[in-house]
Amino acid sequence: MEPCVICLAGPTASGKSAIALALAESLPRPVEIVSVDSALVYRGMDIGTAKPSAAQRAAVPHHLIDIIEPSQSFSAARFVSDAQRLIAEINAREHVALLVGGTMLYFKALIEGLDLLPPADPALRAELDSQAAARGWPEMHAELARIDPITAARLAPTDAQRIQRALEVFHLAGRPISSLHGSAARAGIAPLLVALEPLDRAWLHARIANRFHSMLAAGLVDEVRALRARGDLHAALPAMRCVGYRQTWEALERGDLGTLAERAIAATRQLAKRQLTWLRAMPLRARVACDAADAEQRVIALARRAAAA
């Protein structure tokens, strides 16, 4: 059989997981799911990541979930390496590799190739964090705008992680990170890319709010309390910067949970906006309105054609 790779991308709360499981039941070939999510890789972070349940993972094989500790980091380069290996193994079993998630950088890196960027420099990052503590991230963003206006224009002034990385790359490479984009060879993956995009943004906003309230009811605050109690984690780690976890950590630090839902829902809406912006920059995607009544059937039809090709 011909190798088959299907990508299902979409913003948070767009229904990706449910549609992925429906695809697994509907396609003529066995399906294995590869997570394309920078938060699902972390062990012990289940509620706030909407991690697939044990029953769902038993019904359909899932990969790249629960593979590292929250104290560790996971890069786009590692994702590409792991995903390419898994795709080859899944296709060798004559199964369909279904890549599902909302980390658009990972999709872009896998499909278009990974930029040849310098590795992280812990000492430089510590210096940038020190500067940010004194000046604030909006001022660091203003500095980035002076040296790399292209990158600064697509980052929020409070997006500490990406501002730090862009400044780090400039200091290490001597060039703006935007000038390095597109410098890598293609990764050699040519999948069907199905993009779940809502016609009505209010539909997505309502789902985001409902899901976060469900997470609170399921014990998200206690989950973050347990992570804080471990002793090896801190707020600056990538794992603890994940949406929902960052706001809950900060609320516990302040001793004030009263505005947690409001802050986390607003942050998640901003995340969804960024995810949709990434998707619109992928011209070869097949768009499906995730708020349409027949969204699942449309995705299944597209996937069936790809699996039969």
Side-chain angles (χ1 to χ4, degrees):
M1 288 185 174
E2 288 296 315
C4 184
V5 181
I6 298 170
C7 293
L8 181 62
T12 184
S14 58
K16 297 181 296 294
S17 297
I19 290 178
L21 293 170
L23 277 178
E25 293 180 356
S26 304
L27 294 184
R29 294 162 59 177
V31 170
E32 298 186 39
I33 293 174
V34 178
S35 170
V36 188
D37 190 303
S38 59
L40 292 185
V41 297
Y42 297 115
R43 290 188 282 269
M45 295 173 57
D46 302 331
I47 298 171
T49 61
K51 195 168 287 180
S53 67
Q56 290 169 332
R57 293 161 69 178
V60 181
H62 285 65
H63 304 277
L64 298 187
I65 295 177
D66 289 341
I67 59 174
I68 61 173
E69 290 297 318
S71 56
Q72 299 172 298
S73 60
F74 190 81
S75 66
R78 178 172 171 185
F79 168 78
V80 170
S81 175
D82 287 353
Q84 288 177 328
R85 171 182 54 79
L86 287 165
I87 288 169
E89 292 171 356
I90 292 166
N91 284 164
R93 292 190 281 271
E94 298 188 352
H95 293 181
V96 174
L98 176 58
L99 282 76
V100 183
T103 303
M104 304 308 169
L105 173 61
Y106 289 4
F107 277 119
K108 180 178 174 65
L110 181 67
I111 296 170
E112 300 180 10
L114 193 64
D115 298 320
L116 303 177
L117 302 179
D121 184 312
L124 178 55
R125 288 194 170 187
E127 171 61 23
L128 292 170
D129 282 338
S130 177
Q131 292 179 27
R135 300 163 55 192
W137 283 108
E139 178 57 32
M140 302 294 282
H141 181 267
E143 178 182 335
L144 178 64
R146 290 190 288 272
I147 60 177
D148 188 357
I150 295 174
T151 299
R154 65 178 179 83
L155 299 182
T158 55
D159 192 345
Q161 183 175 358
R162 291 177 178 83
I163 294 170
Q164 181 196 64
R165 178 57 174 158
L167 290 170
E168 177 187 42
V169 168
F170 179 80
H171 287 295
L172 292 175
R175 295 168 56 190
I177 193 171
S178 58
S179 72
L180 299 172
H181 287 328
S183 62
R186 288 180 58 84
I189 303 296
L192 166 68
L193 173 59
V194 180
L196 298 177
E197 302 176 34
L199 296 175
D200 181 4
R201 195 70 63 88
W203 175 90
L204 184 63
H205 291 173
R207 286 177 60 91
I208 286 171
N210 290 337
R211 189 170 75 162
F212 190 75
H213 285 296
S214 296
M215 289 175 177
L216 288 176
L220 174 61
V221 173
D222 287 338
E223 181 174 74
V224 177
R225 278 199 184 100
L227 291 167
R228 285 168 56 86
R230 286 174 40 146
D232 63 335
L233 305 178
H234 54 83
L237 286 168
M240 294 301 103
R241 287 177 175 175
C242 292
V243 70
Y245 287 91
R246 179 175 185 170
Q247 291 74 32
T248 307
W249 185 291
E250 291 171 349
L252 289 169
E253 207 161 58
R254 293 193 309 269
D256 175 18
L257 298 174
T259 60
L260 169 57
E262 177 186 350
R263 290 171 179 268
I265 289 168
T268 309
R269 286 171 61 164
Q270 287 298 311
L271 170 62
K273 182 179 179 180
R274 292 194 299 272
Q275 290 169 316
L276 287 166
T277 299
W278 274 93
L279 275 177
R280 294 190 191 103
M282 299 180 182
L284 300 181
R285 73 195 190 281
R287 296 173 60 191
V288 172
C290 51
D291 48 347
D294 63 344
E296 184 177 295
Q297 290 74 25
R298 291 179 61 193
V299 174
I300 289 172
L302 288 167
R304 279 179 172 166
R305 286 197 291 271

